[in-house]
């Protein structure tokens, strides 16, 4: 029997005192790490009892625990370096919030605030601050309303104005956005009845005209955020739809991307949709606008007021973090600050080359070099467009997958892409303050 050996098993407490483990305690919480330690030691105990192995040395048990902590640690939210060349990356938190905006919002979030307190009357106030005013100035609307995300915005609009009634949607716009937001399903969930018109590639004014009935509540026009239809294709514009719809039919546009004034081919701005006659337009706050996760609904005052009074508003309303970040970002935007997408798109080749030079300092150019590549806006905008850019390409013999993984294991993780079997790190989407980290990691990987 191996039982006498079990006395040599490390104590949980001793493992937890190791400096490497202590770092994980700080990062993951003591009970989580303690549980991992117990499960590692239990595993060792079982295999000793079965006679599969001797009790391993302390260092080996510690190694196993650190590895387990490392695996869990990867699931924790953390900063990553986006070197993919996709500016608004849906899997990487979409738009980074401007650091100045974050700092401005800190005081409001870490203190009490007037979120729902009217400083003029000393009574309960409305949870919206200056946002309706600021958004309206930015996009040229009568009023605005904020919900948790754009999916909620679409749902609230449908619930409020189209429940038990008909909503006309072009077949070419019955899209799925990201993981599971499908227009026909959202419509069904909201209690509205979908009336499909046209075909995938072509829809006409006549298609819409013949679909109007007493039951029609609205036309919903949905932006093709993540795909493009090319070739033999046509559909009426929002302006045309505004002209042909009966007065009783609302024209709502799920614009999605939140393009305001960015030069993105194929994107129609929120302002243009309103100007062209849309009654309501909704879009995400954390795509091209560059704010926190939110859904923004803009349009006619009477309609916004009705949305505000819907009981579901209580379900969809964001908290102070969203309001404060959005407000601070909007003020800056109105004062001339460009969105991150706009700023990234206008980076000059010279700036990108300079970033590349800094990253490759001290690295043998046969192992990595700056190459031409492309940049996309992402985040449900300009799905069919790419812009010229530069990337650092790694040219060593090791498999691209292996290099990509090594970079992903860096701290912070560096997320690149593989292009023609070579790992590339796009120089436009990285943030300049990360250049030293990237250089250090490449030096580590490639040697001098
Ligand atoms: C992104 C997008 C949505 C979903 O917005 P979320 O903010 O992710 O909820 C809906 N419709 C369109 C057209 C989009 O581009």
């Amino acid at each position: 029997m191996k039982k006498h050996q079990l006395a040599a098993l490390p104590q949980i407490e001793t493992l937890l005192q190791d400096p490497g483990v202590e770092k994980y305690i700080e990062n993951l919480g003591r009970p989580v790490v303690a549980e991992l330690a117990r499960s590692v030691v239990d595993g060792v105990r079982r295999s000793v009892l079965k006679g599969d192995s001797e009790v391993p040395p302390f260092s080996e048990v510690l190694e196993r625990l650190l590895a387990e902590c490392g695996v869990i640690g990867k699931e924790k939210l953390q900063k990553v370096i986006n070197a993919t060349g996709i500016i608004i990356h849906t899997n990487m938190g979409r738009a980074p919030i401007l650091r100045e905006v974050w700092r401005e919002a800190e005081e409001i979030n870490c203190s009490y605030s007037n979120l729902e307190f009217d400083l003029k009357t000393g009574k309960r106030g409305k949870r919206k601050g200056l946002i309706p005013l600021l958004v309206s100035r930015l996009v040229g609307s009568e009023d605005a309303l904020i919900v948790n995300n754009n999916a909620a915005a679409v749902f609230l609009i449908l619930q409020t104005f189209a429940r038990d009634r008909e909503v006309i949607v072009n077949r070419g716009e019955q899209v799925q956005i990201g993981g599971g937001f499908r227009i026909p399903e959202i419509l069904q969930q909201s209690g509205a009845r979908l009336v499909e018109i046209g075909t995938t590639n072509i829809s006409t004014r006549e298609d819409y005209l013949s679909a109007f009935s007493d039951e029609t509540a609205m036309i919903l026009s949905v932006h093709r955020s993540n795909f493009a239809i090319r070739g033999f294709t046509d559909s009426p514009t929002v302006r045309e739809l505004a002209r042909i719809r009966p007065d009783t039919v609302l024209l709502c546009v799920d614009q999605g991307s939140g393009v305001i004034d960015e030069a993105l081919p194929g994107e129609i701005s929120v302002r243009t949709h309103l100007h062209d006659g849309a009654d309501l337009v909704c879009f995400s706050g954390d795509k091209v606008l560059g704010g926190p996760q939110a859904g923004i609904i803009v349009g006619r005052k009477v309609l916004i007021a009705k949305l505000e009074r819907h009981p579901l508003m209580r379900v969809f309303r964001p908290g102070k973090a969203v309001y404060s970040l959005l407000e601070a970002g909007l003020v800056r935007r109105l004062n001339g600050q460009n969105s991150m997408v706009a700023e990234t798109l206008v980076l000059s080749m010279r700036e990108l080359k300079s970033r590349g030079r800094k990253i490759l300092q001290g690295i043998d150019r046969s192992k990595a070099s700056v190459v031409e590549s492309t940049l996309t806006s992402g985040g449900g905008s300009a799905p069919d467009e790419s812009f010229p850019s530069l990337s650092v390409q790694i040219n060593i013999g090791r498999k691209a997958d292996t290099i990509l993984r090594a970079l992903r294991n860096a701290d912070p993780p560096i997320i690149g892409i593989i292009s023609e079997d070579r790992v590339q790190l796009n120089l436009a989407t990285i943030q300049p303050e990360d250049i030293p980290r990237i250089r250090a990691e490449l030096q580590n990987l490639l040697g001098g």
Side-chain angles (χ1 to χ4, degrees):
M1 211 42 200
K2 308 267 178 183
K3 265 191 179 143
H4 64 281
Q5 289 186 14
L6 293 177
L9 279 173
Q11 299 283 312
I12 302 295
E13 207 40 52
T14 320
L15 283 166
L16 295 183
Q17 275 159 16
D18 175 84
V21 177
E22 268 179 352
K23 272 207 204 101
Y24 279 113
I25 290 178
E26 244 170 66
N27 200 29
L28 302 174
R30 191 178 178 87
V32 173
V33 177
E35 198 173 308
L36 287 177
R38 270 191 296 276
S39 118
V40 166
V41 171
D42 281 350
V44 173
R45 180 183 297 114
R46 270 197 305 276
S47 90
V48 172
L49 283 175
K50 270 205 287 181
D52 292 347
S53 63
E54 306 276 297
V55 171
F58 179 82
S59 62
E60 199 182 308
V61 181
L62 182 64
E63 263 327 293
R64 280 191 218 176
L65 173 57
L66 288 171
E68 296 281 329
C69 289
V71 170
I72 298 241
K74 289 235 181 298
E75 286 177 36
K76 198 181 176 201
L77 268 180
Q78 54 197 284
K79 166 190 172 133
V80 305
I81 294 174
N82 173 12
T84 61
I86 302 168
I87 304 174
I88 311 287
H89 200 299
T90 329
N91 304 144
M92 294 181 202
R94 295 191 180 169
I97 287 167
L98 213 62
R99 212 172 285 279
E100 294 86 341
V101 166
W102 185 263
R103 293 213 181 98
E104 224 175 291
E106 181 179 322
E107 190 62 17
I108 299 165
N109 283 284
C110 302
S111 332
Y112 295 101
S113 67
N114 61 341
L115 183 66
E116 273 185 21
F117 181 77
D118 187 332
L119 288 171
K120 295 191 294 280
T121 61
K123 299 213 170 75
R124 183 194 186 112
K126 290 218 165 112
R127 179 187 290 232
K128 52 187 178 181
L130 272 190
I131 285 182
L133 177 69
L134 301 173
V135 173
S136 298
R137 284 296 168 280
L138 188 65
V139 305
S141 62
E142 288 180 12
D143 206 353
L145 177 68
I146 310 302
V147 290
N148 285 327
N149 51 49
N150 189 35
V154 175
F155 191 77
L156 183 65
I157 290 172
L158 290 167
Q159 266 275 332
T160 308
F161 298 110
R163 210 171 150 188
D164 298 324
R165 298 186 63 206
E166 290 178 355
V167 175
I168 302 176
V169 187
N170 184 338
R171 285 201 167 85
E173 296 178 0
Q174 291 180 19
V175 303
Q176 169 165 341
I177 315 274
F181 179 81
R182 294 178 150 195
I183 289 295
E185 285 171 12
I186 293 290
L187 245 123
Q188 194 187 18
Q189 288 294 323
S190 75
R193 287 195 303 275
L194 172 63
V195 176
E196 304 179 84
I197 58 103
T199 61
T200 306
N201 56 326
I202 301 274
S203 64
T204 62
R205 293 157 45 107
E206 288 67 34
D207 290 330
Y208 281 92
L209 285 170
S210 56
F212 293 136
S213 78
D214 292 345
E215 290 291 291
T216 311
M218 80 173 68
I219 300 174
L220 179 65
S221 169
V222 185
H223 179 43
R224 294 184 190 119
S225 289
N226 44 14
F227 69 108
I229 298 186
R230 261 176 313 228
F232 184 50
T233 160
D234 197 16
S235 58
T237 61
V238 165
R239 189 188 302 205
E240 284 171 300
L241 293 176
R243 227 178 287 133
I244 62 168
R245 53 97 186 248
D247 289 345
T248 52
V249 172
L250 289 178
L251 177 54
C252 301
V253 181
D254 176 10
Q255 195 275 349
S257 64
V259 165
I260 310 292
D261 51 14
E262 292 76 12
L264 286 169
E267 287 288 306
I268 299 173
S269 75
V270 175
R271 179 180 284 271
T272 303
H273 281 315
L274 289 169
H275 184 261
D276 285 350
D279 297 302
L280 291 171
V281 180
C282 63
F283 55 98
S284 300
D286 52 341
K287 289 181 177 171
V288 177
L289 188 70
Q293 180 188 300
I296 303 178
I297 309 174
V298 295
R300 283 172 42 206
K301 203 172 189 69
V302 284
L303 302 177
I304 298 284
K306 195 155 177 214
L307 288 166
E308 255 172 356
R309 285 195 303 269
H310 195 286
L312 269 183
M313 197 44 217
R314 175 79 196 195
V315 179
F316 289 155
R317 66 177 195 179
K320 59 177 176 279
V322 167
Y323 277 99
S324 55
L325 288 166
L326 203 52
E327 211 173 61
L330 285 165
V331 169
R332 279 174 182 272
R333 189 68 188 268
L334 290 170
N335 283 341
Q337 168 80 50
N338 285 325
S339 69
M340 217 237 348
V341 171
E343 298 269 309
T344 309
L345 286 176
V346 300
L347 286 174
S348 65
M349 282 295 159
R350 189 207 266 184
E351 163 64 17
L352 298 182
K353 271 186 199 145
S354 145
R355 289 181 180 185
R357 251 195 319 274
K358 286 181 196 151
I359 287 177
L360 292 180
Q361 234 171 54
I363 289 171
D364 187 328
R365 294 303 156 92
S366 66
K367 294 177 181 166
S369 56
V370 174
V371 299
E372 285 179 5
S373 64
T374 55
L375 179 67
T376 55
S377 51
S381 65
D384 211 19
E385 297 291 333
S386 63
F387 305 86
S389 186
L390 295 177
S391 293
V392 162
Q393 178 169 287
I394 298 169
N395 298 314
I396 53 174
R398 237 181 300 164
K399 280 186 75 172
D401 274 349
T402 317
I403 298 170
L404 207 60
R405 187 171 343 115
L407 291 169
R408 210 163 57 231
N409 280 328
D411 181 23
I414 302 167
I415 316 297
I417 61 155
I418 296 178
S419 171
E420 292 175 18
D421 271 345
R422 295 265 184 257
V423 169
Q424 288 190 352
L425 303 179
N426 186 284
L427 292 164
T429 51
I430 61 167
Q431 296 177 296
E433 66 261 30
D434 293 326
I435 287 175
R437 280 302 323 151
I438 301 173
R439 179 174 60 222
E441 206 49 52
L442 286 189
Q443 271 169 350
N444 190 13
L445 191 72
L446 307 174

